Amino acid sequence: MRKITVGLAALLLTTQQPQNPGYDWFYPQGSRPIGISNKVQNSALYVYDKAPRELALCMLGNADTSIRIEDVLIAPVIYSSPDSSSFDLSYCYCFRNYLGMMHNHNNGICLASPTDMRRFASDERAVLEAIVCGTNPDSGSVRFYLAVKTDEQK
């Protein structure tokens, strides 16, 4: 099994001199820059603000010299509870610009679970795993935990 480098821990999104307008950029040590579009941030805020259950989204975008998350789509759920879910990954694979999965943790734990990391490690196409572990509609902020596969791990 591959090792996954957690290139970025829990962060509150803040703009850092965006390379492209409409993105917030993060620079994890040992990884490519990661840009999260305003559209994705707004979608995450809306979808996860009061979500009673774990909900999975397919992240879409581009990964070359940087990783740009441009859109998210709801993955078909097979099973869902307040603390976990399983979903049909083959749906996400229908999109050539699939980057990985985004889901929420309602328990306030802002880390990937062992189950999350096993799924991420076994997903040959994923370069990024995003966990939404908090939202603040008043400030319009979303708290993410991001795990990144390095080029050697992909």
Side-chain angles (χ1 to χ4, degrees):
M1 181 183 268
R2 287 184 211 140
K3 281 180 126 180
I4 303 301
T5 299
V6 176
L8 193 53
L11 287 177
L12 194 60
L13 291 176
T14 54
T15 304
Q16 293 183 359
Q17 299 185 357
Q19 296 171 348
N20 300 328
Y23 287 80
D24 282 337
W25 287 90
F26 302 95
Y27 303 90
Q29 187 174 2
S31 177
R32 298 174 274 191
I34 300 169
I36 304 175
S37 74
N38 293 339
K39 177 182 179 181
V40 169
Q41 293 174 53
N42 290 336
S43 294
L45 183 63
Y46 177 77
V47 168
Y48 294 123
D49 181 39
K50 297 201 182 349
R53 298 183 177 278
E54 192 171 291
L55 179 65
L57 301 175
C58 312
M59 291 185 291
L60 307 177
N62 288 296
D64 43 44
T65 58
S66 64
I67 300 171
R68 293 173 309 287
I69 309 168
E70 299 167 352
D71 205 355
V72 288
L73 299 169
I74 295 175
V77 175
I78 297 169
Y79 164 80
S80 180
S81 75
D83 299 322
S84 71
S85 65
S86 59
F87 41 87
D88 184 359
L89 249 184
S90 66
Y91 172 77
C92 298
Y93 289 163
C94 293
F95 302 93
R96 63 176 171 65
N97 58 343
Y98 167 71
L99 294 173
M101 297 304 299
M102 176 186 292
H103 69 277
N104 58 321
H105 281 179
N106 290 341
N107 58 10
I109 296 174
C110 206
L111 292 171
S113 70
T115 301
D116 295 334
M117 293 310 285
R118 276 192 302 276
R119 182 189 38 74
F120 179 46
S122 67
D123 186 343
E124 295 287 325
R125 292 188 51 199
V127 295
L128 188 66
E129 176 82 6
I131 297 166
V132 175
C133 47
T135 60
N136 184 336
D138 294 332
S139 67
S141 63
V142 180
R143 195 169 174 85
F144 287 98
Y145 174 91
L146 301 174
V148 184
K149 287 181 185 172
T150 63
D151 290 334
E152 303 85 55
Q153 295 165 329
K154 182 72 176 89

